[in-house]
Amino acid sequence: MLGLGALGARVVSGRLLAVSQQGCWGLSATGVPRITGRASRNFHESQKLSRSDTDKDAVSKLPDESEAGLEFPRTVNVNYDPLNAPPSPDKQPLSVVNDPPSSAAKAAAAALDALLSETATVTIPKTATRELTFLESVDLFFDEAAKLTTVSPALLGHIKECNTLLEFTFPVLRTNGQIELIRGYRAQHSYHRLPTKGGIRYDVRVSEDEVKALAALMTFKCATVDVPFGGAKGGIVIDRSKYDDLELERITRRFTVELIKRNAIGPAVDVPAPDYGTGPREMGWMKDTYEAFNPNDIDRTACVTGKPLNLGGIRGRDNATGMGVYFGIREFLTRQDVVDRYGIRKGPGTEGKDVVVQGLGNVGYWSARFMRELGQARIVAIAERDGYLVSRTPEGLDPTDVKRHLAMHGQMRDYQASLEADRGKVEYVPGDPTQALELECDILIPAALESVIHGGNAPRIQAAVIAEAANGPVTYAADRYFKDNRKMGVDYPLIIPDLLLNAGGVTVSYFEWVKNLGHLRFGRMTRRVEEKTMRAVMNVLERHGMKLAERDLKELEAGADEAALVRSGLEDTMCMAVEETWNTAKEMNLRSETRSLL
């Protein structure tokens, strides 16, 4: 996966993405997790040894609960302070005229020039500052990683910047007869591998900065699991709950037409997928619209992934991200060196671990379900929009029961678990669901939106492991808080990064894309051959006196179908990515060998 040599590295205050160089344009990568959020500790410690006496006296102020965010040290080697930069103007969901362009791109470029240039040290006042935006966090994580490389700033700048950003508005006729303007975005971060790949989300918080940040993460994520896509992301600024099915279909189809006009969708150009607020239905509408405009494209079915099965989808795509989350957590926690290094409570493995899940959408639901059913963990809390459920019973919460209740009632309130009265009860806590992040647990799985663990609540996080099932749930400020406290010898969690952990979705999307291009269902040519081969082997064993049970015979006789092959490919991909991630961290000396050095 490292390709032709180390080109760059992305450290998310300790999470590294080593990017390799294939010529000037062909880039691939492998990810290194933010181990306890602090994989770059050695680098920062080494920098201390070379600082001046003035620099040695400079310290970072740790935030207390009353402060909105974190501060930079008194002296840092930059001439731009993104923490004190003015925030990008928020855009309203609807507008007749496009808003003026944001200054975020100029600010990001200034930050890159400052952070990658060898400038004199600049003193920055120690004042209270705001929390970073999502894009600013992603850019700063990249900049910290860039410091570990010998790559030229110009090439690093090319890797960092979003290649193309599309923003457009279009009218939609609503069922009440009114015409409404809708804003849509599509960011294509990198063309180093084609097509670009990334989800489409429907949410009022969709913005230029958000899609650019998510597209960058998609580039690094695909490289981490060696999937040959460039990163992309898109979205529509709507609250989907305020639109009926016909209106949503009109919006989706018109959005697809806008992408077609700009040559921003196609099996060899850009392949969207489901994301927050979208699913197989929306992907089916996009596919149908694309096919109507491209009837002679023989590979047109591969224009999107995450489609329904009868429209060219693949078995296992609906739970792929959640299963990838489970595989990633399992692989890290079954490594004895990881458990010893970070003092994971209750020993190796996932069995018996207490788990808190924030968000019960597709990713959160399947992550919780696999952790419970396959990992034998106990789900002690589940958070959703209107609050969260807490259970301290031996069984914990059943994600399937909670999901069924949520689907029927639209809220967590009045949930009654089928537990015996003498074995405890489930408590519903109304209000802010992010409060569940602060519960004591072994594994915390934030599976909703980005930036939910920030400088304000980082001091109250009690989890031993933070498994980033969502995109960017831990902000730069929170990550920095963990780092600064670890330097003081305080235990903080092992953070398994989103670049690795939630890559199961794009991995199986890759399988779907390959299936569509090959025009052949996985297992169609091999299943019967495998069954006949195994049956012959069992006949030989029986002739030599080895009698097998009926259940064993059925398991051995079954050839691999599409679902089995997809699951096997996903498991192999996640296991290999975890192994390469861990090995790369050790090779680059981004972890200390003794706990006393943390």
Side-chain angles (χ1 to χ4, degrees), residues 298-469:
I298 192 173
D299 296 324
R300 59 187 180 275
T301 304
C303 67
V304 297
T305 60
K307 304 179 292 291
L309 280 176
N310 62 337
L311 295 180
I314 194 169
R315 288 169 177 81
R317 176 60 182 87
D318 57 337
N319 58 30
T321 306
M323 181 168 285
V325 170
Y326 164 69
F327 285 146
I329 295 173
R330 183 198 69 184
E331 287 303 299
F332 269 106
L333 296 191
T334 52
R335 299 182 64 97
Q336 189 63 50
D337 52 349
V338 174
V339 173
D340 293 341
R341 162 101 167 96
Y342 302 107
I344 304 299
R345 296 173 287 188
K346 302 179 184 178
T350 59
E351 184 174 358
K353 298 289 195 299
D354 289 342
V355 179
V356 172
V357 179
Q358 186 241 345
L360 205 63
N362 181 276
V363 177
Y365 168 68
W366 287 108
S367 299
R369 182 169 172 178
F370 288 133
M371 288 295 295
R372 185 175 191 262
E373 296 177 0
L374 302 180
Q376 302 300 307
R378 183 174 66 150
I379 311 301
V380 297
I382 295 176
E384 253 299 331
R385 292 182 298 270
D386 62 311
Y388 59 94
L389 300 172
V390 181
S391 172
R392 297 299 178 186
T393 63
E395 296 86 353
L397 294 167
D398 183 347
T400 302
D401 279 349
V402 178
K403 184 74 171 179
R404 185 182 300 113
H405 173 86
L406 195 61
M408 293 176 61
H409 303 282
Q411 59 182 5
M412 306 283 266
R413 188 184 303 275
D414 301 326
Y415 172 77
Q416 295 292 330
S418 56
L419 300 173
E420 298 178 12
D422 60 346
R423 303 183 71 179
K425 65 178 183 177
V426 175
E427 178 187 1
Y428 167 73
V429 181
D432 184 4
T434 61
Q435 292 178 357
L437 300 169
E438 302 170 14
L439 297 174
E440 182 178 356
C441 62
D442 299 303
I443 303 170
L444 172 61
I445 304 180
L449 295 173
E450 62 272 3
S451 305
V452 293
I453 299 175
H454 45 76
N457 61 8
R460 300 188 294 275
I461 300 298
Q462 303 181 65
V465 177
I466 297 178
E468 292 188 319

Side-chain angles (χ1 to χ4, degrees), residues 167-180:
E167 178 181 0
F168 43 81
T169 58
F170 53 87
V172 169
L173 178 64
R174 302 201 61 172
T175 53
N176 61 7
Q178 295 183 351
I179 294 178
E180 186 171 301

